[in-house]
Amino acid sequence: MNAKNEHDLSLTRRRLLGTVGAAGATGLALGGTGGALGQSAAQDEPPTALATVGSTEVAFHGKHQPGITTPLQAHGHLVAFDLASGAGRKEAAALLRRWSRTASALMAGDPAPDGHSGVALDAGPSSLTVTFGFGRGFFSRTGLTAQRPEALAPLPQFSRDALDEKRSNGDLWVQIGADDGLVAFHALRAVQRDAAGTARVRWQMNGFNRAVGATPHPKTMRNLMGQVDGTNNPKPSDSDFDKRVFVPPGGPPGWMEDGSYAVFRRIRMLLDNWDEQSLAQQEKVIGRRKSDGAPLSGGTETTAVNMEKRKADGGLAIAADAHVRVTAPDTNGGAAMLRRSFSYHDGFRDDGSPDAGLLFVAWQADPLTGFVPVQRKLDSGDALSRFIRHEASALFAVPGGAGEGEYVGQRLLEG
Amino acid sequence: MNAKNEHDLSLTRRRLLGTVGAAGATGLALGGTGGALGQSAAQDEPPTALATVGSTEVAFHGKHQPGITTPLQAHGHLVAFDLASGAGRKEAAALLRRWSRTASALMAGDPAPDGHSGVALDAGPSSLTVTFGFGRGFFSRTGLTAQRPEALAPLPQFSRDALDEKRSNGDLWVQIGADDGLVAFHALRAVQRDAAGTARVRWQMNGFNRAVGATPHPKTMRNLMGQVDGTNNPKPSDSDFDKRVFVPPGGPPGWMEDGSYAVFRRIRMLLDNWDEQSLAQQEKVIGRRKSDGAPLSGGTETTAVNMEKRKADGGLAIAADAHVRVTAPDTNGGAAMLRRSFSYHDGFRDDGSPDAGLLFVAWQADPLTGFVPVQRKLDSGDALSRFIRHEASALFAVPGGAGEGEYVGQRLLEG
């Protein structure tokens, strides 16, 4: 699944006492292969006291927007909006200004500026992050096509895609995460209220991750298939992390400096089919042991995968179509993206199967060197593809963080 | 809302280090009015260390089933099943035996007995509870109508009900709660797998509550309207708590000894309408201050409501139709139930309004002296009713807890 096995769930649940700024967050140690430094730093960190779940605050202002390198939260909302007819650049600018003010207030644990406070009173910030992005349609509707990044070209159609257009794309995108469900919901409501008259909800989805403190510390997350998920995610301590994830100084385009591109895919897992497989079959599909995430070529979770390793019978230890092989950066020209997803579960479908899987969110400096080449390989040769369905898709340009007194997207909208 | 203002959210997030047995749990101090002892005991309790979120275990075996007096968890799943055609008493007994074995294992943090383990590996029990109940239809389908409790008579139709039969009732009911989303989801999947061939999912809903540690300790919860919610819930330390919540020794019927009746209502909140009200209007509807839950008659959250108090202008401080007045036990012949609900949010409806509200669950020894008289009053005279819609309803007989070596419902199915 889109390099799913390597995805964001590696973000450890380490919490800092006090404010974690967007810049400071890049210093967080993320669990993962090869990141001996990061890994051990995380292990040295004592478990955070329970009392800080509510009081942990992420800074809204900074070089990058929050919610990209921020440790994964337990609750997430993704929501896309389309601009209302009649709403243009001026109205969009006013909306981004409102949204930025709301995000800044709520992330600090203050009431929503529109006066509709109280829903999450006395909750504390609870690691809330609110992240804003622009879809391709935004630029034509606001007369800003000249500013539209080349990187926002529509994603290619993949042969296995079964996309629902109504739950795909959108002019504007907001990603909300928090460790408390009420704080996250309150932020979603505030964002929706701010949009009234200017933009209407196109689609909205809810996700979750492990609770803070629910797993031994630090431990890579598991997805709904039970697989350890996120071992090989890029780490902020990697020398090429910024180059892979963030748009470099100057762009192009200039207004995207320090920004990133978010690929969203709603990936339903065919869990009934998956559960019918034996443990050995499941592990062969992934290329890692289910119990601890160690590659089938040997070692522990963080041991580098040995793609050439042979079993006693002469066969490859890591099958030719194993997910871990197809997604390996060195078989994709070094492509790597920061995967930071939420699991979802929307009940059961009419056929009795669970409507559940992954709200996959991947961050990269350029989708054409990040998501696209990896997904192209997965689309044709990934053993995991029999057990998943890509049901929705979107691509958003997520500008850099707002400085003090600035709003997100100001450099585009007033540039 | 069904005495919503007073509902279960008062259960404080206090966690014990180690095992909380079903019996032990009744000794938990719950925040609430009048419970000076309970309240101060809770305040004396230091915040639980984060590391215990995953390791906190609730006992499956005991006098009562878990998930009734257990402190509210952050994630909940409610699922109702109908017996498959051809499935009778024997198959139902085998299912309850499988379910009990699964619940016992997962609540202890062990893999599911059916071999489909791994999804929540290394998570720990995370305060998981799994609770089983029987709906009215169960008894006719299993030839056990002679054993059907009188108390399972269909709930009366209330004038404001707008119930969806497809999301109401059911032969069997399972309530799942856990402080970790993956642990809760895994339990739901295991319960569903156990049912294959014997029962099919009729409806299933997902809910949430505040995260452990997200609010100052101890603090009554807030619902999605932002109201402090649960101040007046019965407390296990009340002398009449057991009498109100649990079926007494001997029943009737005998097999329900130490059991309880669960009323479920899916109550959608008209949050857009609610948010249009001023703070003063919202507080008048409820009869309590939004900021701290104190009654409008004065004092603090735990001050007894003075229904006779007059304002300077001579009007009642607590309006005649205020929710807190209509739900007050002393205006309902002492009726009280233990409300232990989850909030829900299933995205947005076609009209753009949130599909969100309360998965109301109330526990009582007899619905005819618990939920029914309160709801009858609310139905005719509650100011809050303009802002809510009851969209689904069910009533289940929840037998007492299984002893060691016993399964839930054994006294009914093998009686």
Side-chain angles (χ1 to χ4, degrees):
Chain A
M1 164 179 316
N2 302 358
K4 182 197 58 59
N5 190 48
E6 316 299 325
H7 94 1
D8 53 284
L9 294 178
S10 76
L11 292 165
T12 61
R13 309 300 311 199
R14 192 166 75 108
R15 300 290 154 163
L16 300 181
L17 306 178
T19 299
V20 180
T26 59
L28 281 178
L30 307 185
T33 18
L37 180 67
Q39 189 73 359
S40 58
Q43 275 159 347
D44 290 346
E45 190 76 11
T48 306
L50 181 62
T52 66
V53 171
S55 59
T56 302
E57 180 181 339
V58 183
F60 174 72
H61 296 288
K63 184 176 176 185
H64 308 298
Q65 285 195 61
I68 302 173
T69 57
T70 310
L72 267 175
Q73 300 103 329
H75 296 264
H77 298 298
L78 305 181
V79 54
F81 294 85
D82 283 337
L83 285 171
S85 69
R89 178 172 173 175
K90 186 180 148 203
E91 291 77 14
L95 173 57
L96 267 296
R97 190 184 290 277
R98 287 195 297 276
W99 272 352
S100 296
R101 204 175 49 211
T102 294
S104 171
L106 294 180
M107 285 176 57
D110 295 329
D114 70 356
H116 290 292
S117 63
V119 170
L121 267 179
D122 53 49
S126 298
S127 302
L128 175 70
T129 58
V130 187
T131 316
F132 303 99
F134 300 110
R136 188 170 168 83
F138 181 84
F139 297 86
S140 44
R141 290 195 179 82
T142 52
L144 289 164
T145 44
Q147 307 294 325
R148 191 174 61 207
E150 293 291 334
L152 264 194
L155 294 174
Q157 283 233 293
F158 300 100
S159 68
R160 291 172 173 276
D161 283 358
L163 304 181
D164 176 1
E165 175 60 20
K166 290 194 301 292
R167 298 194 291 180
S168 297
N169 304 313
D171 293 344
L172 290 154
W173 180 65
V174 185
Q175 171 194 259
I176 294 166
D179 280 324
D180 179 72
L182 197 63
V183 169
F185 176 78
H186 180 47
L188 175 65
R189 285 283 296 158
V191 160
Q192 186 203 8
R193 276 197 310 264
D194 280 346
T198 304
R200 57 175 178 72
V201 172
R202 179 182 174 90
W203 55 261
Q204 194 272 311
M205 300 177 195
N206 305 320
F208 65 95
N209 278 304
R210 308 302 297 261
V212 178
T215 52
H217 174 88
K219 194 83 187 181
T220 310
M221 295 265 203
R222 291 181 187 273
N223 60 34
L224 296 190
M225 287 174 159
Q227 291 299 141
V228 171
D229 197 337
T231 304
N232 204 27
N233 228 2
K235 292 162 291 298
S237 57
D238 295 346
S239 59
D240 57 356
F241 181 84
D242 275 10
K243 175 167 158 269
R244 283 173 159 170
V245 175
F246 294 113
V247 175
W255 66 269
M256 272 295 287
E257 178 173 308
D258 300 324
S260 186
Y261 292 91
V263 169
F264 159 72
R265 309 281 283 188
R266 181 181 172 105
I267 304 174
R268 181 161 58 89
M269 295 172 169
L270 310 185
L271 292 174
D272 287 337
N273 303 16
W274 181 250
D275 283 346
E276 284 166 9
Q277 312 300 309
S278 69
L279 180 62
Q281 288 170 318
Q282 291 181 353
E283 292 181 337
K284 185 172 176 225
V285 164
I286 302 295
R288 290 185 181 276
R289 279 207 304 258
K290 196 169 185 177
S291 61
D292 61 359
L296 296 185
S297 53
T300 64
E301 180 191 342
T302 54
T303 303
V305 183
N306 179 350
M307 301 292 181
E308 311 307 320
K309 180 75 176 284
R310 298 274 167 180
K311 296 181 291 186
D313 68 4
L316 284 166
I318 308 287
D321 62 354
H323 185 72
V324 72
R325 179 187 295 276
V326 183
T327 58
D330 54 2
T331 68
N332 289 297
M337 45 195 159
L338 175 66
R339 284 134 293 157
R340 188 179 186 282
S341 309
F342 293 89
S343 292
Y344 76 89
H345 170 227
D346 290 340
F348 293 95
R349 295 156 54 93
D350 289 344
D351 64 3
S353 65
D355 189 4
L358 200 66
L359 303 178
F360 173 90
V361 180
W363 299 91
Q364 58 253 290
D366 183 352
L368 287 177
T369 57
F371 173 78
V372 171
V374 176
Q375 183 56 24
R376 205 164 253 146
K377 282 196 66 186
L378 288 171
D379 190 46
S380 62
D382 178 22
L384 187 57
S385 61
R386 288 186 293 128
F387 302 100
I388 58 175
R389 290 285 179 279
H390 285 239
E391 297 191 329
S393 175
L395 170 60
F396 300 102
V398 173
E404 293 283 347
E406 203 188 12
Y407 63 87
V408 173
Q410 185 164 350
R411 279 163 270 174
L412 167 66
L413 289 158
E414 300 182 16
Chain B
M1 165 179 315
N2 302 359
K4 182 197 57 57
N5 190 48
E6 314 301 321
H7 94 0
D8 55 284
L9 294 177
S10 77
L11 292 165
T12 63
R13 307 304 309 200
R14 192 166 76 107
R15 300 290 153 165
L16 299 181
L17 306 178
T19 299
V20 180
T26 58
L28 281 177
L30 307 184
T33 20
L37 180 67
Q39 188 74 1
S40 58
Q43 276 160 347
D44 290 345
E45 191 74 13
T48 306
L50 182 62
T52 65
V53 170
S55 59
T56 302
E57 180 182 340
V58 182
F60 173 71
H61 295 288
K63 184 175 175 186
H64 308 298
Q65 286 195 61
I68 303 173
T69 57
T70 310
L72 268 175
Q73 300 103 330
H75 296 264
H77 298 299
L78 304 182
V79 54
F81 295 84
D82 283 336
L83 285 170
S85 66
R89 179 172 171 172
K90 187 180 148 201
E91 292 75 14
L95 173 57
L96 268 295
R97 191 184 290 277
R98 287 196 297 277
W99 273 352
S100 296
R101 204 175 49 212
T102 294
S104 172
L106 295 181
M107 284 176 57
D110 294 331
D114 69 357
H116 289 293
S117 63
V119 169
L121 267 179
D122 54 48
S126 298
S127 303
L128 175 69
T129 58
V130 186
T131 317
F132 303 100
F134 300 111
R136 189 171 167 82
F138 181 83
F139 297 86
S140 44
R141 292 198 176 81
T142 51
L144 288 165
T145 44
Q147 306 295 325
R148 191 174 62 206
E150 293 290 334
L152 264 193
L155 294 174
Q157 282 231 297
F158 300 99
S159 68
R160 291 173 173 276
D161 283 359
L163 304 182
D164 176 0
E165 175 59 22
K166 291 195 301 291
R167 298 194 292 180
S168 298
N169 304 314
D171 293 345
L172 290 154
W173 181 65
V174 186
Q175 172 195 258
I176 293 166
D179 279 326
D180 179 73
L182 197 63
V183 169
F185 177 78
H186 180 47
L188 175 65
R189 285 284 295 158
V191 160
Q192 186 203 8
R193 276 197 311 264
D194 280 344
T198 304
R200 57 174 179 71
V201 172
R202 178 182 176 89
W203 56 260
Q204 194 271 312
M205 301 177 196
N206 305 321
F208 64 96
N209 278 304
R210 307 304 295 263
V212 178
T215 51
H217 174 86
K219 194 83 187 180
T220 311
M221 295 264 204
R222 289 180 189 274
N223 60 33
L224 297 190
M225 286 175 160
Q227 291 297 141
V228 171
D229 197 338
T231 304
N232 205 25
N233 228 0
K235 294 161 292 297
S237 57
D238 295 345
S239 59
D240 56 356
F241 180 84
D242 276 11
K243 177 168 156 266
R244 284 172 159 172
V245 174
F246 295 114
V247 176
W255 66 268
M256 271 296 285
E257 177 173 311
D258 299 326
S260 186
Y261 293 91
V263 169
F264 159 72
R265 310 280 283 189
R266 180 180 171 104
I267 304 175
R268 180 161 60 88
M269 293 172 171
L270 310 184
L271 292 175
D272 288 337
N273 302 15
W274 181 251
D275 283 346
E276 285 167 7
Q277 311 300 308
S278 68
L279 179 62
Q281 287 170 319
Q282 292 181 352
E283 292 182 337
K284 186 171 175 230
V285 165
I286 302 297
R288 290 187 181 274
R289 278 206 304 257
K290 195 167 185 178
S291 60
D292 60 0
L296 296 186
S297 53
T300 65
E301 180 191 343
T302 53
T303 305
V305 183
N306 179 350
M307 301 293 180
E308 311 308 321
K309 179 76 176 282
R310 298 273 166 179
K311 296 180 292 186
D313 67 3
L316 284 165
I318 308 287
D321 61 354
H323 186 71
V324 72
R325 180 187 295 275
V326 183
T327 58
D330 53 3
T331 69
N332 289 297
M337 44 194 162
L338 176 66
R339 284 135 292 158
R340 189 180 185 281
S341 310
F342 293 90
S343 292
Y344 76 89
H345 171 226
D346 290 341
F348 293 94
R349 295 155 53 92
D350 290 343
D351 65 2
S353 65
D355 190 4
L358 199 67
L359 303 178
F360 173 90
V361 180
W363 299 91
Q364 59 253 290
D366 184 351
L368 286 178
T369 58
F371 174 78
V372 171
V374 177
Q375 183 58 24
R376 206 163 254 148
K377 283 196 65 185
L378 289 171
D379 191 45
S380 62
D382 178 21
L384 187 57
S385 62
R386 287 186 293 130
F387 302 101
I388 59 175
R389 291 285 179 278
H390 286 239
E391 298 192 328
S393 175
L395 170 61
F396 299 102
V398 173
E404 294 284 348
E406 203 188 12
Y407 64 86
V408 174
Q410 186 164 348
R411 279 163 271 173
L412 167 67
L413 289 157
E414 300 182 15

